[in-house]
Structure formats: C-alpha cells, structure tokens
Amino acid sequence: ELQALASEESDLIRETAPLEQKRRAAQLAEQERLLKALAAKQRLAREIAQKAYQVITPPLIPPPGVWTARGDLEQSFPMMNQVEGELSTGQVLKSREWLGQILKRLESARAPVDGAKARWERLSLTLAAGATSELEGAPPETVESSAAQSVSVSTGLAASQSIEKDILDAISRDPWKDEPGRGLSSAEKQSAADLAKKQSALRNRTRKARQEIGDLARQSAGIPSAIMSDLESASRAMGDAESALSRSDTGAGLEQERTALSHLSKGQEGLSSAAQGLKQMRSQMGKPVAEFVQPKTSQHGPGGRTGVRLGRVRIPGPEEYAPPKAFRQELLEGLKEKRPEPYKDKIGDYYKRLTE
C-alpha cells in the first residue's frame, strides 16, 4: 500500500507542476511589466526634482533654507539613479532602502520651500492690497514672479515625493501572495480543486495505512517507530497540500506534495527493511538462539560504559548433545559392575540416560 501511495503522490506532483509553471510564468511576466513601468516613474520623479532644484536659489528661497533644500536634493539624485537602475534590470535589492531615504530628503527639502512659498504668497496679497510699503524690501515686480515660482517648486517637490511613495508601495506589495490563484484561468483553478480532492483521498489512505501498521507494530517489535513518524509527517503534509490546492495556491501545494512523497518514501524504505529483518528471523526459526549478558570486567573491557555486553549464542540441537563414544563405552562397562540392591534400578536408569 505504501508503494501505491508513493506512486500516486508522484502522479499528483506531475499533474500539479504544469499548473504551477503556468502561474509562475504569468507572475514573472507581470512583474517584468510592473518594474519597467516603475522605472519610468522613477525617471519622471528625478526629472521633476531636478527641475525644482534649478529654481531653488536666493532670493526665491532665502538662506539658510536654500542651502538645506539644495543639499537634500543633491543627496537624493544619486539614490534616484540607483533605484531606476535596479528597476530597469529587474533586480530589486536595495531600492526599498534608497526610496525610504529619498522620501526623507524630499520631505526635508520641502520645509524651507514651503516656508518661502507662504511668505511670497503673503507679500503677493499685500501687493494686491496696494500696501507697497509692507513688501519687506522686495521689489513689487519680484513679488509676483517669486510667488508663482515658489508655488511651482513646492508643487514639483510634492509630486516627486508622491511618485517615490507610489514606487515604494508597489515594490513592497505582493498581490500574488494575497491572491494565490492569480495567473490561472477558471478551468485551471478547477483543476487545482480536483487535485485537492485527490490529495484528500490519498491522505485518508495514508492515515489508514498508518493505523494498520501501528496495530502490527504493537504485535511485533521488528517495526521501527520511525515508520509511524514518517507516515504521520506524510499525512500532515498531504493535509497542507490539500488546503493549498483548494485555494489554487499551486506553489505551496506542490511543495507540500513533495514533502509528503519524501516521507512516504522513507516510510516505505523503513518498512521494507523491517520486513527483510523479519524474514531473516523466520529463516533462523529452526536454529534456537539465546541472549547472553556479559558483566563488565574492566573500565575498558567488553562491557563498555553500561557495565554489560549483550549478545546472542546458538543453542545446539538435540543431535549435538551425544557424549563421545569412549565415554559411553566406559559407562556401559560400569553397568556390569555389582550395585547395592536397594539402588540397583535407580543407578541403572541414571547410566542409561547418560548414554542416550
């Protein structure tokens, strides 16, 4: 039965593998398209930030804020290039870390820009009210242009920051994990559900086989407990495979199917070894054996650390108990000698048994 279970579990693996290959191919294709789109978005975010950087100069942004904003952007640009490079090649290794730092730098750069924007907007309202004497020394013609530029710069940095956040969210989210059957058609999902039913049937048979072998093990000491453990592990893996396949998670299902097959194979090997051992014991049934216990004779003697050494010795058959011929002849001569009358019969019986 274990051989049949292992064979059918192998068949199940062969049926599941094509579904997982299809799902995996769809996943890789979608990820490739996503990364290319994200690389284009990263390029756009950098270009917007660079355009804002060119405008961030005094007197639009007064010191020391202007130097803070420019410094933050100067540190962001190399990381933006590195993120774009990883997204373009499909090797996303450090992009999450770099994007986190980029977002912090953009947030820091926006602080003095937004502060300057608020000031220029206030001066613009003052100018519109005709209070030219309250422009804080700024020429009227500069107020309007600076107000417009500060809004443009602030808006640009906010847009760049929003794009970077979208990119980080996209590469941190795994829709394939949240939707196991993604990439499979309705018919393929139904196939996975059918495989789950087959796996359920195999699991029930495995549990029944374990119970039967357990009953046999209680009657014979020749069946190792490891077989029971392997069958229990196989049954548990089958249950996990059934659960995964029922939700069209062919990746997890295939992995658990292989685990179940591995444990079934180990159990089958263990049972075969046990059967071989029992066969050898049956072949020796005509040759009685007995155990011996040898006490420990020294610290390093044959008894070992336990103080005794166990072994088996062969018990001779009845034909090997016959005494030597000379000894039997001597006893026969003794039978001819005169014996005390009260013990005559008993002594005769004794000599007779010695010669048999």
Side-chain angles (χ1 to χ4, degrees), residues 255-319:
E255 180 181 356
Q256 291 302 320
E257 287 170 355
R258 288 169 174 164
T259 299
L261 178 59
S262 174
H263 287 296
L264 281 176
S265 299
K266 289 180 182 178
Q268 182 183 353
E269 291 173 2
L271 193 60
S272 297
S273 298
Q276 183 65 26
L278 291 173
K279 182 178 180 181
Q280 292 178 353
M281 290 178 63
R282 292 192 191 98
S283 66
Q284 297 177 354
M285 289 295 290
K287 300 178 180 179
V289 295
E291 302 287 341
F292 74 82
V293 178
Q294 177 176 329
K296 182 177 178 180
T297 56
S298 68
Q299 182 177 0
H300 302 292
R305 294 184 178 180
T306 62
V308 297
R309 182 162 65 96
L310 303 179
R312 294 159 64 94
V313 295
R314 186 176 64 84
I315 299 176
E319 71 283 357

Side-chain angles (χ1 to χ4, degrees), residues 6 34 56 66 69 89 94 135 142 165 183 196 217 228 246 253 263 277 287 299 311 333 341 343-344 349 356:
L34 174 63
I56 298 176
V66 63
T89 60
K94 298 187 65 178
L135 296 181
T142 303
K165 188 176 184 305
M228 305 300 294
S246 65
H263 287 296
K287 300 178 180 179
Q299 182 177 0
E333 292 297 330
E341 193 64 31
Y343 303 102
K344 180 177 180 180
D349 290 340
E356 289 180 352

Side-chain angles (χ1 to χ4, degrees), residues 196-207:
K197 294 178 181 178
K198 290 184 180 181
Q199 184 65 92
S200 178
L202 288 177
R203 183 190 183 199
N204 291 335
R205 287 170 55 191
T206 300
R207 295 173 69 178

Side-chain angles (χ1 to χ4, degrees), residues 192-228:
D194 293 340
L195 292 176
K197 294 178 181 178
K198 290 184 180 181
Q199 184 65 92
S200 178
L202 288 177
R203 183 190 183 199
N204 291 335
R205 287 170 55 191
T206 300
R207 295 173 69 178
K208 182 178 179 181
R210 182 182 184 277
Q211 182 178 356
E212 293 175 350
I213 293 174
D215 293 340
L216 182 61
R218 283 188 287 273
Q219 302 173 22
S220 173
I223 299 180
S225 60
I227 297 176
M228 305 300 294

Side-chain angles (χ1 to χ4, degrees), residues 10-116:
S10 296
D11 293 340
L12 202 62
I13 290 174
R14 282 191 289 270
E15 292 182 72
T16 306
L19 293 177
E20 172 56 15
Q21 291 172 357
K22 167 72 183 309
R23 188 201 67 83
R24 184 62 177 164
Q27 179 183 16
L28 292 176
E30 181 175 312
Q31 288 179 342
E32 184 178 354
R33 290 192 298 269
L34 174 63
L35 292 178
K36 287 184 177 180
L38 293 178
K41 293 184 71 173
Q42 179 58 72
R43 186 161 53 252
L44 176 61
R46 186 187 69 247
E47 291 172 353
I48 293 174
Q50 288 175 333
K51 186 176 180 179
Y53 173 80
Q54 296 172 357
V55 183
I56 298 176
T57 57
L60 180 64
I61 312 296
V66 63
W67 312 125
T68 299
R70 290 179 67 85
D72 285 327
L73 292 176
E74 288 169 357
Q75 294 182 54
S76 297
F77 295 145
M79 290 186 288
M80 290 179 175
N81 291 332
Q82 290 171 317
V83 170
E84 183 184 349
E86 284 199 349
L87 295 173
S88 298
T89 60
Q91 299 292 326
V92 180
L93 303 175
K94 298 187 65 178
S95 289
R96 293 179 183 86
E97 176 186 345
W98 290 328
L99 285 165
Q101 295 181 27
I102 291 169
L103 287 170
K104 289 180 181 179
R105 294 296 179 186
L106 289 175
E107 184 68 24
S108 177
R110 285 184 61 189
V113 171
D114 289 346

